[in-house]
Amino acid sequence: DIQMTQSPSTLSASIGDRVTITCRASQNINNWLAWYQQKPGKAPNLLIYKASTLESGVPSGFSGSGSGTEFTLTISCLQPDDFATYYCQQYDNYPWTFGQGTRVEIK
Amino acid sequence: EVQLLESGGALVQPGGSLRLSCAASGFTFSSYVMAWVRQAPAKGLEWVSTINTDGVSTFYADSVKGRFTISRDNSKNTMYLQMNSLRAEDTAVYYCAKKFGYGYALDYWGQGTLVTVSS
C-alpha cells in the first residue's frame, strides 16, 4: 500500500499568513494527488486534484504543486474561513490512501 | 444541484449487519464512479470501497474485504454498502462520494451517516 505522510500535523497561523502543507508518498503516484478541506462536523471538500488543478469554485488563494512523491498545498493569504483540517489523498493505486491530516489553527 | 444523501446508519451489535444507501441527484449518476469513505470518531479519513460506472468493477480496503459489499442501481440513482460481521472498529461516519473518472478525484461528498458498533 502507498503510505501518505503529511507535515505538520498541526499548524498555528494568523490571518494573512502564507501557509504550506507537505504531503509525501511512499512511492511515485504519477501526480494523482488530491487535497481536501474538512471543517468540524462537515464532509470533506475537494480543493485540488491532479496535484495542481484547482477544483471549480475553490478560491484562487489555494494552490497545489509537486510531482512524483513530494507535494505541497499552499494557502497564499490565510482567511478566517480557512481554519480547518486538510488531507491529501493518492488515487493512483488501490487502496486509495489519505494522509493523517493537518489541522490549521488560529495562532 | 448535486446531492448525495446517505442513510441506513444505526447502532448495531458486534457481528451484526447493516446496509447503507446513498441516493444521488443533480447529475448523471451512471457516468460517475462512486465510493465510500469513513471517518472514525476524532480520526482521519479512510477509504472503504469504490465501484465503477458499470457496477461490475469493485475495490475494497483490506480492512473490509470479505465483509462489505458495494453495489449500485443506476436505474434508481443509488449506491449501497452491505456491511456484515461488523466490528467495533467499523464505528465511523460513512460518506459516499462521486468521481467523474480516470484522473479525477472525489469531487462531491454526502453529509455522512453514523454507524456505531457496540454491545
Side-chain angles (χ1 to χ4, degrees):
Chain A
D1 298 1
I2 299 173
Q3 307 303 315
M4 305 299 291
T5 304
Q6 281 182 240
S7 61
S9 296
T10 306
L11 190 158
S12 298
S14 302
I15 301 297
D17 282 354
R18 180 182 180 89
V19 165
T20 297
I21 299 169
T22 297
C23 181
R24 176 176 296 165
S26 60
Q27 66 187 65
N28 184 0
I29 57 171
N30 299 298
N31 292 0
W32 299 127
L33 188 282
W35 290 97
Y36 302 90
Q37 177 194 66
Q38 187 180 32
K39 297 180 180 179
K42 300 295 186 180
N45 182 49
L46 176 65
L47 301 174
I48 303 281
Y49 64 95
K50 202 179 177 184
S52 61
T53 302
L54 193 68
E55 172 69 356
S56 176
V58 174
S60 59
F62 290 92
S63 63
S65 64
S67 64
T69 62
E70 296 275 343
F71 303 89
T72 59
L73 172 70
T74 299
I75 308 172
S76 61
C77 182
L78 202 62
Q79 300 299 306
D81 194 47
D82 300 335
F83 292 96
T85 299
Y86 294 85
Y87 294 92
C88 63
Q89 179 226 346
Q90 69 80 19
Y91 53 101
D92 181 51
N93 277 326
Y94 288 106
W96 294 346
T97 44
F98 289 87
Q100 79 277 18
T102 295
R103 183 180 170 220
V104 176
E105 61 180 26
I106 300 173
K107 191 172 185 178
Chain B
E1 179 191 2
V2 172
Q3 287 197 349
L4 293 173
L5 184 61
E6 302 95 336
S7 62
L11 171 63
V12 61
Q13 291 189 338
S17 298
L18 274 180
R19 188 176 84 154
L20 305 183
S21 298
C22 172
S25 60
F27 63 101
T28 305
F29 179 74
S30 59
S31 297
Y32 282 77
V33 173
M34 299 295 296
W36 291 98
V37 176
R38 68 185 181 183
Q39 187 168 35
K43 299 294 185 182
L45 301 170
E46 179 190 15
W47 170 76
V48 172
S49 183
T50 296
I51 186 166
N52 282 356
T53 55
D54 57 8
V56 174
S57 300
T58 58
F59 306 87
Y60 298 94
D62 284 347
S63 58
V64 306
K65 199 172 295 182
R67 300 187 299 123
F68 290 10
T69 302
I70 192 171
S71 61
R72 65 191 296 163
D73 186 338
N74 287 343
S75 68
K76 295 183 178 179
N77 291 346
T78 303
M79 175 178 66
Y80 305 97
L81 186 68
Q82 177 66 41
M83 304 187 297
N84 298 331
S85 303
L86 282 162
R87 306 166 179 168
E89 55 264 36
D90 295 319
T91 294
V93 173
Y94 285 72
Y95 296 102
C96 68
K98 72 179 186 65
K99 175 181 182 303
F100 185 57
Y102 183 78
Y104 291 85
L106 297 169
D107 60 15
Y108 193 83
W109 301 52
Q111 287 308 298
T113 187
L114 176 62
V115 173
T116 304
V117 184
S118 175
S119 55

